[in-house]
Amino acid sequence: MRILVTGGAGFIGSHVVDALVARGHDVVVLDSLAPAVHPSRPDYLNEGAAYVEADLRDDDALAQALRGAEAVSHQAAMVGVTAGFADAPHYAVVNGVGTALLLRAAMREGVRRLVLASSMVVYGEGAYECPRDGAQRPEPRRTSDLEAGRFEPRCARCDSPLAPQAVREDAPLDPRSVYAATKVHQEHLAGIAMREGGPAVTALRYHNVYGPRMPRDTPYAGVASIWRSQIAAGGAARVFEDGAQLRDFVHVSDVARANVMALELDPAPPGAFNVGSGTPRPILELAATLSRALGARPPVVTAEHRASDVRHVFASSEKAARELGFRADVSFEDGVRELAAAPQRESVRSA
């Protein structure tokens, strides 16, 4: 099958390309190789794929990349926490307008299916339950509570601490950052295009992805990469809040495999699917495990906080297992050891 991978030079996209080439697919990559992400052409690019170096907003290049494609794996996006709301227009253009242009071109070319890289950030806070009052959707945490070290969401009725639960795909969407809002927008655009005769859409909601080729030295890097850079600079991993925030850390090779499964299933599986390990862990556990693997001193818990951060969010993996046949294979311990041993990406140079 001829498959276009947008953002195929990036962290997750390049692993998707590797997995598709290994399966014998005809792979075309469209990637802008933006200097803010790639100071130079990455040395890990798979020679079994063809490359078109261009932005999604370049109509001619997009048409060239899509020619003859039966499917698209849409990984291209501005990712991570913004430097502030001043970043919002750039996120909206790259993630929203770029996706709309891709969908329009895919409809013109008769592409049959599209796998969209979505994210767990679309949920905002995860699922919670009050022992007395049942299921709850907590409001955004108050700055005054965070500054006082009161990090846990509380029941709006009885003020008891809420117990976090695995979040399912049918949970309400409640984006709480600019990036999260653009991921919801991408899902909605893709769904509308599908209903108007466009490609069948499978949205894979990635949880906290880690592994080789993570970006470094940028505000948009994942927390594991940020900690690794802090350790490499001779410091300790700095953990926000109290480190008890629960996340689902999933290895990038498992995420790539989920993409391949979604692209190869016949018929295409429409809808949204969580892609995680199925095992929630405190972020302090990741920081401590990575520090040990690198022979560094223990992490420092700082009590720092950000208004856009959520407390707990981790995946229910039941739907992906049932409908995609996907379960994560890479153990947390093996994955973190691999990350610690892998070469770090080249630093992004200042402008």
Side-chain angles (χ1 to χ4, degrees), residues 112-113 261-269:
R112 296 187 296 108
R113 61 168 72 195
M261 296 172 83
L263 287 162
E264 292 184 342
L265 273 177
D266 191 19

Side-chain angles (χ1 to χ4, degrees), residues 220-263:
Y220 315 111
V223 68
S225 182
I226 292 171
W227 286 336
R228 193 174 171 202
S229 294
Q230 290 170 346
I231 291 168
R238 296 178 60 82
V239 180
F240 282 14
E241 298 186 17
D242 58 0
Q245 306 94 302
L246 292 174
R247 297 291 188 271
D248 186 333
F249 298 103
V250 59
H251 193 269
V252 67
S253 65
D254 282 325
V255 172
R257 189 165 52 83
N259 274 268
V260 173
M261 296 172 83
L263 287 162

Side-chain angles (χ1 to χ4, degrees), residues 78 88 91-93 95-96 175 177-187:
M78 284 285 293
Y91 272 73
V93 169
N95 295 356
S177 68
V178 170
Y179 170 60
T182 66
K183 299 312 285 185
V184 172
H185 191 200
Q186 286 183 322
E187 286 198 22

Side-chain angles (χ1 to χ4, degrees), residues 312-328:
H312 303 298
V313 56
F314 52 92
S316 166
S317 299
E318 294 175 4
K319 185 181 178 186
R322 183 176 64 251
E323 298 185 26
L324 299 181
F326 170 77
R327 292 188 185 277

